[in-house]
Amino acid sequence: MLEQINETVDFLRSKGVTDPDAGIILGTGLGGLTAKMENYLEIDYRDIPNFPVPTVDGHAGKLIYGDFGGRKIVAMKGRFHFYEGYDAREVTMPVRVMKYLGIKCLFLSNASGGLNPAYQVGDIMIVTDHINLLPNPLMGPNDDRIGPRFPDMGEVYDRGLIGRALMIAEKNGIKVHRGVYLSTSGPTFETPAEYRYFRIIGADAVGMSTTTEVIVARHMNLPCFAVSIITDLGIEGKIEYTTHESVQKVAAKTEARMTTIMTELISTL
Ligand code: HPA
């Protein structure tokens, strides 16, 4: 795996992607943050060796490198999902590549269904912990040069970054929740019984991504910060018909608030 990672890193450096401070993975309907980047260059995933190609609408499939919040960042506009048919290692390959490009922190966003009865559509949840119900991306042989066989998961989301994000949200008058994100494979949205079950086992929001990327990042000791946009509710009495389009619509409306938090947070690095 390390050989593949190095090959991709060499390719990206040859294209001008040099020494990014942070990486960011943008979820469904949340790619607009990249419009705030300056002096950027874009590379289609299709042109990057060892990168899979995404298949879902709303996931553009471009790596964008440039200035954001006064720092150099590498942004993934469009991510890879397990439900597309990739295995958990393929889904997380870009995270390995970003780490070896030199990022110091990984930022992630996702669209998710709210399970906590206090949540409303359009709310932002800062992820404080997760329940991974996707296949673990570290299964299989471990390369000790990259990370340990049995990584600790006691503090997966960086407390310092969460604290700073809360202050930024307060300063800007942005309401945020703190909560536990649970991942399932999808591509089905949940049945009412599944939503109830996920709430009972301790989740505040449910989605189809993020945890595998975060596990791989923590395997390499990379601090992580993630936000979920609540695009629909999995709360008894409030469950509505959910489509990919309705998820994208709400995500797009919430994007500006999320971008404010991300911009100011990255500027503190
Ligand atoms: N469930 C799973 N994934 C999602 C949801 C949901 O309700 N909303 C957006 N992504």
Side-chain angles (χ1 to χ4, degrees), residues 65-82:
Y65 170 71
D67 299 325
F68 182 82
R71 299 281 175 272
K72 289 271 180 230
I73 69 160
V74 58
M76 284 183 66
K77 190 172 181 181
R79 56 148 61 91
F80 304 103
H81 298 86
F82 188 67

Side-chain angles (χ1 to χ4, degrees), residues 23-200:
I24 182 161
I25 302 178
L26 300 165
T28 305
L30 297 167
L33 177 147
T34 55
K36 292 268 183 317
M37 291 173 70
E38 292 173 341
N39 307 317
Y40 62 87
L41 60 94
E42 287 185 350
I43 306 170
D44 206 304
Y45 291 161
R46 268 174 257 272
D47 299 327
I48 304 176
N50 307 314
F51 258 48
V53 175
T55 60
V56 189
D57 286 350
H59 302 271
K62 281 189 167 65
L63 196 80
I64 306 175
Y65 170 71
D67 299 325
F68 182 82
R71 299 281 175 272
K72 289 271 180 230
I73 69 160
V74 58
M76 284 183 66
K77 190 172 181 181
R79 56 148 61 91
F80 304 103
H81 298 86
F82 188 67
Y83 61 71
E84 292 173 81
Y86 309 116
D87 69 34
R89 284 181 175 241
E90 288 173 314
V91 164
T92 52
M93 179 67 176
V95 177
R96 304 269 187 215
V97 168
M98 287 195 280
K99 162 76 183 182
Y100 279 81
L101 278 169
I103 66 167
K104 304 293 181 299
C105 294
L106 180 64
F107 296 82
L108 308 99
S109 67
N110 60 58
S112 64
L115 303 171
N116 185 317
Y119 291 8
Q120 291 174 348
V121 168
D123 282 355
I124 293 177
M125 181 186 94
I126 294 177
V127 181
T128 54
D129 203 351
H130 74 218
I131 298 170
N132 176 53
L133 296 186
L134 278 162
N136 195 301
L138 305 183
M139 284 193 304
N142 186 64
D143 187 335
D144 295 330
R145 294 170 297 177
I146 300 177
R149 172 76 286 188
F150 300 107
D152 182 76
M153 289 282 140
E155 187 192 330
V156 172
Y157 298 90
D158 189 84
R159 276 191 213 136
L161 291 171
I162 292 172
R164 273 184 265 163
L166 290 170
M167 285 195 289
I168 291 165
E170 193 178 342
K171 192 186 82 184
N172 288 284
I174 299 171
K175 176 175 102 174
V176 291
H177 303 287
R178 273 175 280 182
V180 175
Y181 175 86
L182 178 147
S183 63
T184 64
S185 70
T188 44
F189 294 111
E190 286 65 37
T191 64
E194 286 165 344
Y195 280 130
R196 199 177 320 123
Y197 166 61
F198 291 154
R199 179 66 186 152
I200 288 168

Side-chain angles (χ1 to χ4, degrees), residues 68-69 71 107 126 160-166 168 225-227 259-269:
F68 182 82
R71 299 281 175 272
F107 296 82
I126 294 177
L161 291 171
I162 292 172
R164 273 184 265 163
L166 290 170
I168 291 165
F225 174 81
V227 291
T259 302
T260 299
I261 296 173
M262 290 291 195
T263 316
E264 292 199 22
L265 188 55
I266 287 173
S267 74
T268 68
L269 294 181

